[in-house]
Amino acid sequence: MWIPIQVNENSAEPLYHQIESQLRSLIISGQIEEGTLLPSIREFANGLNCSVITVRRVYQDLESEGLLRTKQGTGTFVAKVGTSQREVFRREAVEEALNHAVDVGMSVKCEEDELRELFLSILKRKYHPEKGEGEA
Amino acid sequence: MEQSIIRMEGVTKQRRHKTIGPIDLALPKGYVYGLIGENGSGKSTLIHMLLQTVFPDSGRISWFGHAYSKGIPTEVRRQIGYVAEKSNLEEDNLTAEEAAAFRAYWYPEWDQPYFEKLCDLFQVPKATRLRKMSKGERRKYEIAAALAPHPKLLLLDEPSSGLDPFAWKMMIEVLRECLQTEDTTIVLSTHIIDEVKRLADYVMLIHHGKWMGMAEKDSLLDNWKEVWAGCPEADLEELPNIVQTQQESHGVTRVVTTSCRELEQILNDSGINVLKTRALELDEILTLWVQGYKPAGVQEGEEQTHGTIKTS
């Protein structure tokens, strides 16, 4: 199983944290399905050019969150993700992106009303593309 | 805590121009330890002490939990694989096949199909006398022969010297595969930073005989960073774990830190923007470490409680 994780060495975020949050997203979003056998710790570490200490820490953290389970002698598997967990994650991911967007707006001194209008017009364009084109 | 494969306590050895040690270390099993130091810094002496081809002047060494002061017994030696910095003259007149047969006699675990597989992969000419081989071919034979008995502890003294880039890459792959399928512990002395980057879990540093300690590789890379902060230099002078600061332009200061997360936290709390961060390369980290800047969570010996490796 190849896991699409991209590490950014120059980020201030520690390696294990980057790997952990990406793997968590992949599992909760359902991109890696329940029951999937993950690579062994050494294999995963080799693929990411990081140490087994880091990968072990990620597996342990996600196991204690209930996202992974380890079967002695067979390996580490993706556990079942609850619907409520998935909902919370969906909401958090969107909230985070919106938060960031608002921060960008504030940093260039957008007024609240200006941002709101912009947001609504983007919503309109994305959800009703035909109408948007017609108006333009 | 896993059992330590190797433990050294206050180990010293007097060499002609310098004293090596005191070295204190504990190596839990299943990890790769990159041993780094300049030429003549004591790396090979350390490895020789682990083979009992050199005996320490003071201190204590244990293998798999035993001190073996009267010599490492054969059945324990059989679990230790070794690639020497300089090839063994005794095998010079043998072909790779003959030398393998000789080694197989001493290693009951010798895996001939695996040895042949590695020789084929490395393109080692099996019927050529070892002294007639090129430096790279000889090296590849040595690596294959050291791996063939599936050692529990593998001591590699500059294994890549003489290898071309293609053979080097193959060696990395072979060692990685060996680590994936077996529970091997590897001590790897090397000058090649990329080798450490690709293989090591821990970095051990020795400088002119002085033991600088051992640290987790990822912890080094996570913590040692160059940070550009949106504030004047004076604001950062009092902060802990700073290696150097430099005012880049008005209101921007470049800082090298050994504790990136902590610095980031402090800057955030004081409302100072982090404009950019860059991870230091391993060689930059080692240079600063040698100059006396200690990594967070380093295992040095004296302050360390034996049997635990402090992590940051």
Side-chain angles (χ1 to χ4, degrees), chain B residues 147-175:
Chain B
L147 286 170
H150 301 286
K152 293 219 162 48
L153 172 64
L154 188 55
L155 306 172
L156 303 173
D157 198 351
E158 296 183 28
S160 52
S161 71
L163 295 188
D164 62 54
F166 309 103
W168 179 77
K169 192 154 183 297
M170 242 183 262
M171 177 194 81
I172 300 281
E173 287 309 316
V174 163
L175 291 176

Side-chain angles (χ1 to χ4, degrees), chain B residues 206-223:
Chain B
I206 188 164
H207 185 61
H208 299 314
K210 183 177 188 304
W211 181 247
M212 306 299 289
M214 177 169 108
E216 263 182 52
K217 181 190 68 181
D218 288 353
S219 158
L220 288 175
L221 294 169
D222 275 341
N223 281 306

Side-chain angles (χ1 to χ4, degrees), chain A residues 8-18 40 42-43 45-47 49-54 56-57, chain B residues 2 30-32 176 179-180 197-202 216-218 222 225 260-261 264 277-279 312:
Chain A
N8 175 8
E9 286 182 6
N10 288 325
S11 154
E13 199 184 345
L15 271 172
Y16 90 88
H17 204 269
Q18 294 186 38
S40 73
R42 180 60 77 180
E43 203 179 340
N46 284 347
N49 257 344
C50 71
S51 87
V52 288
I53 305 155
T54 296
R56 181 165 300 133
R57 194 166 168 191
Chain B
E2 310 102 304
Y31 295 100
V32 181
R176 282 182 159 184
L179 286 160
Q180 273 179 36
K197 213 156 172 219
R198 293 197 201 197
L199 286 172
D201 299 306
Y202 289 94
E216 263 182 52
K217 181 190 68 181
D218 288 353
D222 275 341
K225 291 208 168 134
C260 177
R261 285 295 264 188
E264 213 202 5
T277 53
R278 179 184 77 90
S312 56

Side-chain angles (χ1 to χ4, degrees), chain B residues 63-80:
Chain B
W63 293 260
F64 308 99
H66 304 275
Y68 301 127
S69 47
K70 291 190 182 109
I72 304 172
T74 316
E75 62 271 20
V76 175
R77 277 192 188 275
R78 283 172 175 160
Q79 299 177 11
I80 304 177

Side-chain angles (χ1 to χ4, degrees), chain B residues 74-194:
Chain B
T74 316
E75 62 271 20
V76 175
R77 277 192 188 275
R78 283 172 175 160
Q79 299 177 11
I80 304 177
Y82 173 50
V83 171
E85 189 186 1
K86 293 181 194 75
S87 302
N88 174 1
L89 295 174
E90 280 137 35
E91 287 183 332
D92 262 1
N93 285 318
L94 303 176
T95 65
E97 272 168 337
E98 290 162 355
F102 177 70
R103 290 195 187 209
Y105 175 80
W106 291 101
Y107 288 96
E109 306 290 318
W110 182 271
D111 183 343
Q112 184 66 19
Y114 182 42
F115 174 72
E116 282 171 16
K117 190 186 129 196
L118 291 176
C119 284
D120 290 345
L121 180 73
F122 284 146
Q123 296 178 303
V124 175
K126 275 180 265 180
T128 308
R129 289 191 197 289
L130 294 180
R131 77 180 143 82
K132 297 274 189 193
M133 286 185 184
S134 73
K135 200 175 172 209
E137 286 169 341
R138 178 75 185 256
R139 213 69 193 141
K140 291 187 279 188
Y141 155 77
E142 301 278 353
I143 294 166
L147 286 170
H150 301 286
K152 293 219 162 48
L153 172 64
L154 188 55
L155 306 172
L156 303 173
D157 198 351
E158 296 183 28
S160 52
S161 71
L163 295 188
D164 62 54
F166 309 103
W168 179 77
K169 192 154 183 297
M170 242 183 262
M171 177 194 81
I172 300 281
E173 287 309 316
V174 163
L175 291 176
R176 282 182 159 184
E177 202 169 297
C178 158
L179 286 160
Q180 273 179 36
T181 48
E182 315 186 24
D183 211 5
T184 320
T185 303
I186 299 182
V187 176
L188 168 76
S189 130
T190 183
H191 293 301
I192 320 285
I193 291 293
D194 218 25

Side-chain angles (χ1 to χ4, degrees), chain A residues 83-114:
Chain A
T83 346
S84 63
Q85 212 173 354
R86 190 158 281 159
E87 274 313 305
V88 169
F89 176 78
R90 252 181 87 207
R91 203 190 154 80
E92 276 174 0
V94 175
E95 215 174 286
E96 197 189 318
L98 288 176
N99 245 318
H100 180 69
V102 174
D103 284 343
V104 172
M106 288 170 81
S107 77
V108 296
K109 310 234 173 344
C110 267
E111 291 297 330
E112 196 181 334
D113 288 338
E114 195 183 347

